[in-house]
């Protein structure tokens, strides 16, 4: 799928995007919008890579950062890395995304566990985890759409307060 997002969003950043890039930032209304940002970044990775997508209060992407690199069938993901990045970028919410080099985007037990840990930590910090996408062979699975997130910060793919 071709990517129509501004080039500034297709680089992995360690700091917030400049103001001009934020103004052109992708608005996240559902998992397809997130997939448009993360699939090009994860598509050719030979091992599992965990990304955090950093969002404004209006669910616009302000940055994407690598928070874990693993092997062919696992990736470590510590809440401290996810939320350190989010706090430094002044993110209001986050979305996790990682790849399965096997090509099968179905979540593993470990994927479900890490999603719960990050969701719990985000609830304590006031930075909600809105979704966790797993990418494989051009397809993706949304943990939110599958009902694996208990904190319903979105409704019908859009912010409940929007």
């Amino acid at each position: 799928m071709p990517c129509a997002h501004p080039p500034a969003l297709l680089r992995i950043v360690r700091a917030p995007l400049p103001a001009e890039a934020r103004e052109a930032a992708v608005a996240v209304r559902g998992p397809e919008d997130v997939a448009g940002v993360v699939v090009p970044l994860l598509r050719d990775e030979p091992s599992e890579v965990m990304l955090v997508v950093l969002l404004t209060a209006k669910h616009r992407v302000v940055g994407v950062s690598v928070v874990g690199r693993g092997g062919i069938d696992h990736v470590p993901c510590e809440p401290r890395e996810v939320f350190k990045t989010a706090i430094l970028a002044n993110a209001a919410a986050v979305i996790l995304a990682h790849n399965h080099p096997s090509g099968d985007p179905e979540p593993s037990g470990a994927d479900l566990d890490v999603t719960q840990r990050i969701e719990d930590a985000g609830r304590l910090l006031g930075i909600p985890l809105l979704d966790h996408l797993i990418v494989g062979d051009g397809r993706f699975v949304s943990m939110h759409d599958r009902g694996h997130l208990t904190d319903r910060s979105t409704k019908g793919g859009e912010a409940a307060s929007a």
Side-chain angles (χ1 to χ4, degrees):
M1 104 177 104
C3 185
H5 302 301
L9 288 178
L10 296 181
R11 61 186 172 91
I12 298 176
V13 297
R14 297 202 186 283
L17 294 176
E20 61 275 4
R22 281 195 307 272
E23 290 170 12
V26 175
V28 173
R29 293 175 300 276
E32 295 79 13
D33 296 325
V34 180
V37 173
V38 300
V39 168
L41 299 172
L42 295 171
R43 173 182 5 237
D44 297 324
E45 289 290 342
S47 58
E48 288 197 18
V49 175
M50 182 73 73
L51 303 176
V52 62
V53 180
L54 308 163
L55 304 173
T56 67
K58 293 186 178 186
H59 296 178
R60 291 194 171 278
V61 177
V62 293
V64 176
S65 183
V66 173
V67 292
R69 288 192 176 273
I72 59 170
D73 63 356
H74 73 284
V75 62
C77 181
E78 293 297 326
R80 86 177 115 245
E81 292 302 317
V82 171
F83 291 104
K84 174 178 73 172
T85 304
I87 289 166
L88 290 173
N90 202 28
V94 297
I95 296 174
L96 289 178
H98 81 280
N99 63 317
H100 279 179
S102 69
D104 180 5
E106 286 300 315
S108 67
D111 294 335
L112 297 173
D113 291 344
V114 77
T115 301
Q116 187 62 55
R117 286 182 61 218
I118 300 301
E119 183 181 28
D120 291 345
R123 191 176 300 110
L124 286 172
L125 293 169
I127 304 172
L129 173 65
L130 301 183
D131 206 344
H132 180 173
L133 266 59
I134 302 174
V135 176
D137 274 347
R139 301 175 293 147
F140 65 89
V141 168
S142 161
M143 298 277 216
H144 178 273
D145 286 357
R146 292 273 181 99
H148 294 299
L149 292 167
T150 57
D151 184 13
R152 294 293 183 222
S153 300
T154 59
K155 183 186 212 175
E158 294 190 38
S161 61

